Amino acid sequence: MAPSVSTATAAPFDQQPTHNGKITKIINGRLLQNHAIVEGTYLWFQDGKFIHPQSTFFDAQREPDEIIDAKGLLVVPGYVDIQINGAFGIDFSDSDGTPEKLAKDIQKVAKGLFQYGCTSFCPTVVSSFSETYNKVLPLLRPRPGSVQDGAEILGAHIEGPFISKEKKGAHKVETFRTAKRGMAEFDDCYGPELQNTHGTIRIITVAPELEGVRACIPELVKRNMTVSIGHSASKIAQAEEAIAGGATCITHLFNAMQAFHHRDPGIIGVLGSTHLPIPTPETKRHPSPSSSSPSPKNPDPRPFYGVICDGIHVHPNSVKIAYYSHPSGAILVTDAMSAMGLPSGNHSLGGLDVVVDDLNRVYIRGTDTLAGSAITMDACVKNFVKFTSCTIVEALEAATLHPAQLLGIADKKGTLNVGGDADFLFLSDDLSVQRVFVGGEEVRL
Amino acid sequence: MRLVIRDNSNEVNIWMANYIKERINQFAPTADRPFVLGLPTGSSPVGTYRELVKLHQRGQLSFANVITFNMDEYVGLLRDHPQSYHTFMWNNLFKHVDIPSQNVNILDGNAADLDQECIDYEKKIKAAGGIELFLGGIGPDGHIAFNEPGSSLESRTRVKTLAYETILANARFFDGDIHKVPKLALTVGVATVMEAREVAIIITGAHKAIALAKCIEEGVNHMWTVSAIQTHPKAVCVCDEDATLELHVKTVRYFKSIEKVHHALIGEENLGLQGGVKNIKLKRGNDALDDEEGPGAGLAA
């Protein structure tokens, strides 16, 4: 009998087994995989990436070089913060100082973020003049995370200045502009980094109702930027148009936008949209369909939305209402200002005198006015569970999977799947950060 | 042969895992003298593997000096296909324990020359010193490994065409499409298994009852290839009550009574692991028997 012989002599590897890097196996962990907490399975990584150990075992004939006992802790992807303005007294929009000094400051923040479970982030630059952008943006080009360099920089989030004067928040109105001359106005403002050849600009927040802005959205998307609408007085129709035009995110939902009105729900009303164009199944950068999606078999036509989950910027009830109207779009952000990570007391930050209280609230000294947020990512995740009564899995995904999906990097970040970057955390059951690993190496906290 | 009957499949798994653990630990394997274990796949051994993993995790069993030989593997299926036997063994046993990858032997269904692969496999078994204990299951048609009805009882490792029924039964793992199911497999032969120094078979479930009855109550028959264990000097079958449904009451009673004699009258401490009886000290005084030694007297041979 002559059997038909397959010419394949070896299985295709997810991972070439010729790497000599150390193989690490994590045992006794409860892993966040496939939208569930799974026990009785293991996590393997080598050379900074998660690997599929089966081919390593049978073909490369390697066993783990190190076994780490997670002792029953939760093992989850590292948090991804897509909106953070600074921390530890450092402000990403601050352009005073030499490039070396600024680079060191950025590194200081990047390293300090690990303790809060954040392993990759988008340094956010608020509305500024061109000089600032030209100086600061080249320093925010994407660079990998490591124990020495800190959390991974995914690229900058440029929030403004193409935003609405009515919804300025803490931004300086003098810097604001409109796009009368279209993309030329954008290029003029941000400088050469806006061409995005280095992938420097990850996210841009704009107010789509401003003159000329809506028309520029397709070009911004073409340059591989995520367009987010915020600091905007858009009415519902304008907001929906912006989404239809390619915007895939809403910047800090509820803040710096029209309050929800039952006859014109504004940007917030996008969560209830039923007539947005339905993305094809291959479309990236859109959320998976929420239970309320008008089209369950395709990505959700509604965008992602960031939520500052400190309980101060948004009332817990509001967080809950928004969440359940569109669960798969929720992204937790800190929108932290430079006071984040500083001890309570008085601080002078960028010429502004602020007071940090024991609950991490930051006020302009002598007033009741919030200066900004000082919440950390791990606190956001804990609060989110408290405010919405969602499951641990849902809260964790809002801090990992969803931001990674928004940025189109869900195969590398926010995941424990094979091929992903080995950025992960050990959490106790109350979601407190116990151990942090970036690129497969443990960070000493 | 010994037939050990337990109440349910869970008890069977625990018994078998414990037996394997004891066999390995009493053998005290070293790098120079490893324990060579033959392993099956399929639904029967899943629970046993689970119990073995538990024993390993409790620190009671190490696989550092165990060499394994699996019974079979599909032809033409890539190794990391979810239905390959490589994947089965990885997920059910290897990934949980400390077995070195060089100690693992599974037939390569993608070898350029399948016949040579089979010949080489037999050579590897010989080079390892032969199999100390071969664990197996039993198919509803009484087959051991892929030695389906009609397989020679003297067969060795070879390429086998799968029976149509087997292909149909397996279609559920391949998107319900019988064209995706492998039609050929490499399997150890009946004689390959019988050459092991000991054979242990797990049989659970009512759907295996007829096969069990055919294999132990009737003759050695190539239509029910597991029946070959009747001629093996050291074989043990472990089954649950459901699997005994087609056996004669007499058979079941006999094997249960043997166990009773062992435990109540002879005493477990006098029994060797493989059924041999050590120095007998009978419980009630019969002086003439006090000095009697019966090493390997094999009450249950």
Side-chain angles (χ1 to χ4, degrees):
Chain A
M1 168 176 65
S4 61
V5 174
S6 150
T7 50
T9 51
F13 308 138
D14 291 312
Q15 164 87 9
Q16 286 306 317
T18 51
H19 288 166
N20 290 322
K22 174 176 106 165
I23 296 178
T24 312
K25 174 185 183 184
I26 300 191
I27 63 171
N28 293 332
R30 289 148 58 215
L31 311 186
L32 172 54
Q33 281 182 331
N34 295 325
H35 313 293
I37 303 290
V38 184
E39 294 187 38
T41 184
Y42 312 99
L43 189 61
W44 302 67
F45 54 94
Q46 179 189 36
D47 296 331
K49 291 202 184 289
F50 297 121
I51 58 169
H52 187 1
Q54 184 179 327
S55 39
T56 314
F57 182 82
F58 286 123
D59 301 309
Q61 299 229 309
R62 294 225 6 218
E63 295 94 57
D65 301 296
E66 184 184 355
I67 297 183
I68 298 180
D69 188 348
K71 303 200 174 116
L73 294 173
L74 290 164
V75 180
V76 306
Y79 298 147
V80 180
D81 190 355
I82 60 167
Q83 186 168 10
I84 167 170
N85 307 288
F88 311 110
I90 291 155
D91 187 340
F92 295 129
S93 310
D94 182 4
S95 56
D96 278 337
T98 61
E100 293 74 35
K101 173 194 175 288
L102 294 177
K104 261 180 115 176
D105 286 344
I106 293 166
Q107 193 188 49
K108 182 174 174 197
V109 174
K111 289 176 89 150
L113 289 180
F114 281 141
Q115 61 191 295
Y116 307 120
C118 178
T119 54
S120 29
F121 67 111
C122 294
T124 305
V125 182
V126 297
S127 303
S128 310
F129 292 112
S130 301
E131 303 81 65
T132 302
Y133 291 116
N134 283 311
K135 201 164 176 205
V136 152
L137 290 182
L139 300 168
L140 299 177
R141 288 188 191 159
R143 62 124 188 84
S146 68
V147 172
Q148 311 89 278
D149 292 327
E152 173 150 345
I153 294 179
L154 297 169
H157 178 165
I158 44 180
E159 189 189 21
F162 293 89
I163 54 177
S164 165
K165 294 199 167 115
E166 292 171 49
K167 298 293 172 191
K168 61 182 170 74
H171 292 225
K172 296 203 176 66
V173 177
E174 312 83 75
T175 62
F176 289 10
R177 11 190 341 166
T178 64
K180 229 186 298 228
R181 292 180 297 136
M183 278 307 295
E185 206 78 61
F186 279 89
D187 287 321
D188 204 47
C189 173
Y190 297 112
E193 294 293 338
L194 197 71
Q195 296 300 325
N196 227 9
T197 38
H198 303 282
T200 312
I201 313 297
R202 262 305 178 178
I203 308 176
I204 177 169
T205 292
V206 296
E209 77 278 15
L210 296 184
E211 187 181 359
V213 169
R214 157 72 184 85
C216 290
I217 292 179
E219 174 61 21
L220 294 169
V221 170
K222 199 150 152 248
R223 293 192 194 181
N224 204 28
M225 283 174 254
T226 296
V227 176
S228 187
I229 57 178
H231 283 276
S232 159
S234 279
K235 313 242 179 272
I236 177 67
Q238 292 164 315
E240 284 181 334
E241 249 189 65
I243 306 301
T248 49
C249 194
I250 297 171
T251 305
H252 47 54
L253 188 77
F254 294 117
N255 302 112
M257 56 183 64
Q258 298 263 24
F260 182 85
H261 185 282
H262 47 286
R263 278 194 296 276
D264 189 336
I267 294 179
I268 299 165
V270 169
L271 264 51
S273 294
T274 47
H275 288 93
L276 290 168
I278 297 189
T280 57
E282 308 79 47
T283 308
K284 307 233 179 317
R285 318 284 191 109
H286 267 257
S288 329
S290 286
S291 45
S292 54
S293 172
S295 166
K297 295 211 178 77
N298 299 322
D300 206 303
R302 295 165 294 174
F304 286 98
Y305 54 97
V307 179
I308 303 172
C309 214
D310 60 357
I312 309 161
H313 281 71
V314 182
H315 190 282
N317 296 19
S318 311
V319 175
K320 183 166 182 175
I321 290 175
Y323 180 64
Y324 285 108
S325 72
H326 180 28
S328 67
I331 292 182
L332 303 181
V333 304
T334 59
D335 198 16
M337 62 175 289
S338 49
M340 189 262 263
L342 293 178
S344 45
N346 295 333
H347 301 279
S348 179
L349 301 168
L352 190 64
D353 287 333
V354 300
V355 129
V356 179
D357 74 5
D358 293 322
L359 295 174
N360 267 339
R361 291 185 295 215
V362 191
Y363 295 98
I364 297 179
R365 185 133 41 110
T367 72
D368 291 328
T369 314
L370 272 182
S373 152
I375 192 87
T376 57
M377 273 308 281
D378 54 339
C380 278
V381 174
K382 290 184 187 181
N383 283 344
F384 195 64
V385 176
K386 234 178 15 181
F387 297 168
T388 64
S389 313
C390 67
T391 64
I392 288 179
V393 170
E394 289 172 313
L396 291 169
E397 289 191 340
T400 56
L401 174 67
H402 294 176
Q405 284 175 323
L406 170 70
L407 301 182
I409 53 176
D411 55 337
K412 292 199 313 137
K413 297 292 185 204
T415 178
L416 298 181
N417 289 347
V418 174
D421 292 344
D423 302 339
F424 59 95
L425 319 170
F426 287 4
L427 305 177
S428 52
D429 280 350
D430 67 351
L431 305 180
S432 298
V433 176
Q434 303 298 321
R435 292 170 77 172
V436 178
F437 295 76
V438 64
E441 288 186 35
E442 181 159 13
V443 175
R444 198 146 302 144
L445 292 175
Chain B
M1 57 148 250
R2 301 157 68 191
L3 179 65
V4 175
I5 301 169
R6 287 283 166 275
D7 287 340
N8 53 52
S9 63
N10 200 37
E11 300 287 310
V12 169
N13 294 326
I14 292 172
W15 193 99
M16 189 57 99
N18 211 59
Y19 184 74
I20 295 171
K21 171 200 90 175
E22 279 301 310
R23 276 289 266 122
I24 293 175
N25 289 343
Q26 287 185 17
F27 186 93
T30 62
D32 296 319
R33 185 177 156 266
F35 190 100
V36 185
L37 184 61
L39 293 176
T41 53
S43 48
S44 310
V46 170
T48 306
Y49 288 142
R50 200 174 43 235
E51 295 300 322
L52 279 173
V53 169
K54 280 188 199 164
L55 289 171
H56 169 75
Q57 286 169 342
R58 281 182 223 144
Q60 294 173 353
L61 173 59
S62 165
F63 287 82
N65 290 312
V66 174
I67 293 182
T68 63
F69 284 91
N70 262 70
M71 280 179 163
D72 41 22
E73 174 62 287
Y74 288 117
V75 168
L77 211 56
L78 293 175
R79 256 186 212 177
D80 52 11
H81 189 284
Q83 294 304 322
S84 84
Y85 286 166
H86 280 79
T87 302
F88 177 96
M89 288 309 301
W90 172 254
N91 286 325
N92 283 288
L93 185 61
F94 298 144
K95 78 179 185 190
H96 302 279
V97 301
D98 61 345
I99 189 164
S101 46
Q102 302 90 318
N103 286 13
V104 166
N105 296 281
I106 306 181
L107 284 155
D108 180 4
N110 292 302
D113 185 343
L114 293 174
D115 290 328
Q116 191 59 41
E117 170 71 11
C118 295
I119 294 171
D120 290 341
Y121 202 67
E122 290 274 347
K123 284 196 188 136
K124 278 190 210 156
I125 295 175
K126 233 196 183 91
I131 295 178
E132 182 67 28
L133 169 62
F134 218 126
L135 183 66
I138 184 175
D141 56 2
H143 72 236
I144 183 146
F146 268 126
N147 295 293
E148 311 212 306
S151 295
S152 165
L153 298 174
E154 287 298 325
S155 51
R156 312 245 36 138
T157 306
R158 67 213 185 284
V159 184
K160 276 289 280 180
T161 313
L162 301 186
Y164 191 59
E165 266 172 21
T166 309
I167 296 176
L168 285 180
N170 285 347
R172 66 200 156 117
F173 299 123
F174 292 87
D175 308 322
D177 181 358
I178 63 167
H179 298 290
K180 288 189 183 160
V181 183
K183 323 219 177 353
L184 299 172
L186 302 180
T187 180
V188 295
V190 180
T192 318
V193 178
M194 293 305 143
E195 231 165 51
R197 290 183 276 286
E198 184 176 2
V199 180
I201 309 287
I202 307 167
I203 305 143
T204 54
H207 57 304
K208 303 284 172 82
I210 293 180
L212 178 60
K214 290 286 184 186
C215 288
I216 69 174
E217 282 181 341
E218 299 191 18
V220 175
N221 186 327
H222 67 165
M223 285 307 187
W224 303 89
T225 48
V226 175
S227 62
I229 58 170
Q230 295 179 27
T231 61
H232 194 287
K234 227 168 200 70
V236 58
C237 289
V238 190
C239 69
D240 61 356
E241 290 284 351
D242 281 348
T244 64
L245 286 173
E246 293 285 341
L247 292 176
H248 293 140
V249 174
K250 188 171 78 172
T251 311
V252 176
R253 276 202 192 160
Y254 171 71
F255 284 107
K256 282 187 174 172
S257 76
I258 292 275
E259 256 198 277
K260 208 185 232 158
V261 171
H262 280 174
H263 290 255
L265 299 182
I266 295 181
E268 267 194 74
E269 66 280 5
N270 292 324
L271 290 176
L273 183 62
Q274 295 177 68
V277 180
K278 302 187 280 205
N279 305 322
I280 304 175
K281 284 173 174 54
L282 291 181
K283 290 214 165 107
R284 257 180 288 178
N286 186 342
D287 300 325
L289 291 169
D290 272 351
D291 298 312
E292 190 163 332
E293 293 189 349
L299 274 182

